Amino acid sequence: MKRHSDIRATFRVLALTAMLLGALSCHRRPLEDPDFSTRIEVKVNITAIANVTCDVYNEYIPIPDINPEVMRVMFYSPNSDKLLAESFITDVQQDENGQMSIRGDISILPGDYRMLIYQFGTESTQIWDYASFDKAAAYTDALSEEALKALQLKADVNYDQPIRYQPDHTIVARSEHETIPYHAGVYTITAQASSIVETYYLQVKVDGLQWVSSAKAVLTSMSPSVTLAAVDRDYDNPCAIYTPLLKSEDHDGEAVVCNIFNTFGRIPESTNNLDVTFELRTTDGRTISKTFDISDLFLSEDCINHHWLLVEETIVVPPPEDPDPSPGGGGFDPTVDDWEEERHEIEL
């Protein structure tokens, strides 16, 4: 009996020892859901856009206001072109140095992704195939026949390329490899965003500017679209773009018509008929049209370094037959007359 009693006592001691060791090595934790909250902070870089934030040739010409308010954030599978998560961020911030950023949160699983962020809600620039990282691209629509008539552009006569609207500056950020680790609390991704659109300054001298009531220009051999991720421009489907022109003066006081215009880029080869057609409407209702080959002008130092297209030729506007028309006769006349068309080549 004594032996059995000793055995039972030994088991009690071992059991008590195990309980004490268990209490020392473990502690209770409440059940918690994994934290998938990720913050996106997009720093907007617009300090080096020629003719907008730097290299301004004519200070009297209005420049566009680049002020993104909403960014669309998209995460794709790294091994396929599948869109896995997306969100819109809208918290616009500006630090003491004037650096603009847009912030927002997204709930997403930790892992490896490809990331694409673009400015949402631009007026003219549109995005197609946004569900594809590789194919997502910015583009603008072609002008309708009604719009061409309203602008008094005879595209079927002068241009063999569709005329499209100018793109708005569109801010884009991208990352081919973005890893979101397992984390507690909020994990932050910081991205740098810049515009995928270029701005050029265009001017031509005019003799008889006082007889001009309105002016416009159409430039051919422009890219109609650009991909967001690789920034590949479409050079296979050239288009033309339209821009209104303003009366002004060159630095030496000569009268000019001029303006800035936006584009996704030009077709790089000079054999692609890089032309600009200036259309000037006179106070007595005439339309004067001049076309210049500016392929070499795009290769000038002014254009390469500053995006300035300075046409050195002069468009001569003859005075009207009645230089002092009766009241009501000197305004804009909506009729379209036959064009006086000339083509010139510019030598640098």
Side-chain angles (χ1 to χ4, degrees):
M1 293 295 294
K2 183 177 180 182
R3 182 178 179 183
H4 288 295
S5 177
D6 291 341
I7 293 173
R8 285 197 296 269
T10 301
F11 275 119
R12 290 193 190 98
V13 171
L14 291 174
L16 180 59
T17 302
M19 291 176 63
L20 290 173
L21 291 174
L24 292 173
S25 61
C26 300
H27 56 276
R28 296 181 61 185
R29 292 183 179 178
L31 294 176
E32 295 180 353
D33 292 329
D35 195 337
F36 300 144
S37 181
T38 297
R39 178 157 299 159
I40 311 296
E41 180 176 1
V42 180
K43 295 184 179 296
V44 178
N45 180 14
I46 56 173
T47 59
I49 301 178
N51 298 296
V52 179
T53 56
C54 67
D55 293 320
V56 175
Y57 184 86
N58 190 333
E59 62 182 4
Y60 299 108
I61 299 302
I63 59 176
D65 182 21
I66 304 176
N67 188 27
E69 296 180 346
V70 181
M71 302 290 283
R72 188 175 198 168
V73 183
M74 296 170 293
F75 289 89
Y76 304 81
S77 167
N79 303 316
S80 67
D81 210 20
K82 184 178 181 181
L83 177 62
L84 300 178
E86 65 174 307
S87 183
F88 294 89
I89 58 176
T90 60
D91 183 13
V92 179
Q93 303 280 336
Q94 193 167 26
D95 63 19
E96 63 276 5
N97 298 319
Q99 171 68 62
M100 177 190 297
S101 64
I102 302 179
R103 302 172 187 172
D105 295 339
I106 183 173
S107 181
I108 185 171
L109 289 169
D112 296 327
Y113 299 94
R114 295 195 292 176
M115 181 182 70
L116 195 58
I117 304 172
Y118 72 87
Q119 180 181 349
F120 186 80
T122 51
E123 182 176 355
S124 297
T125 302
Q126 302 184 54
I127 307 297
W128 65 37
D129 287 340
Y130 66 85
S132 165
F133 181 87
D134 296 316
K135 296 179 182 178
Y139 73 100
T140 59
D141 285 327
L143 273 69
S144 65
E145 292 186 6
E146 291 75 13
L148 292 173
K149 290 179 181 178
L151 295 172
Q152 298 186 333
L153 295 174
K154 291 186 177 179
D156 57 332
V157 176
N158 288 271
Y159 318 108
D160 58 359
Q161 299 172 359
I163 302 178
R164 294 182 176 271
Y165 290 100
Q166 292 183 47
D168 310 300
H169 274 282
T170 305
I171 308 301
V172 178
R174 78 280 293 170
S175 174
E176 282 276 1
H177 307 284
E178 193 67 47
T179 298
I180 300 176
Y182 285 91
H183 56 277
V186 178
Y187 175 75
T188 299
I189 294 175
T190 302
Q192 301 288 334
S194 57
S195 179
I196 56 173
V197 171
E198 300 173 350
T199 299
Y200 289 82
Y201 173 81
L202 172 68
Q203 79 169 29
V204 66
K205 299 174 183 178
V206 178
D207 182 4
L209 186 62
Q210 67 271 30
W211 311 123
V212 175
S213 62
S214 65
K216 59 184 75 72
V218 176
L219 296 100
T220 61
S221 296
M222 297 289 124
S223 172
S225 65
V226 59
T227 60
L228 303 186
V231 198
D232 288 333
R233 308 183 192 281
D234 182 0
Y235 295 143
D236 297 327
N237 301 286
C239 71
I241 57 173
Y242 151 84
T243 182
L245 299 175
L246 305 173
K247 295 182 180 182
S248 189
E249 290 185 351
D250 197 4
H251 295 166
D252 55 5
E254 292 191 73
V256 298
V257 289
C258 58
N259 208 347
I260 59 173
F261 66 91
N262 295 337
T263 174
F264 291 124
R266 66 179 181 88
I267 307 299
E269 300 298 329
S270 60
T271 58
N272 282 287
N273 297 323
L274 271 162
D275 291 343
V276 58
T277 298
F278 296 98
E279 300 176 19
L280 278 59
R281 188 71 171 171
T282 66
T283 55
D284 62 335
R286 291 169 292 146
T287 299
I288 297 176
S289 175
K290 305 291 184 183
T291 298
F292 301 97
D293 183 342
I294 57 172
S295 301
D296 291 336
L297 197 58
F298 270 97
L299 304 178
S300 66
E301 290 188 7
D302 280 340
C303 184
I304 293 173
N305 297 330
H306 310 290
H307 285 193
W308 297 341
L309 296 171
L310 309 176
V311 180
E312 292 301 325
E313 300 287 333
T314 300
I315 299 176
V316 178
V317 179
E321 294 183 2
D322 183 4
D324 187 17
S326 59
F332 178 75
D333 184 352
T335 60
V336 178
D337 301 330
D338 291 336
W339 291 8
E340 303 173 20
E341 182 170 351
E342 298 181 12
R343 299 181 67 89
H344 306 270
E345 291 188 359
I346 297 176
E347 295 183 1
L348 299 179

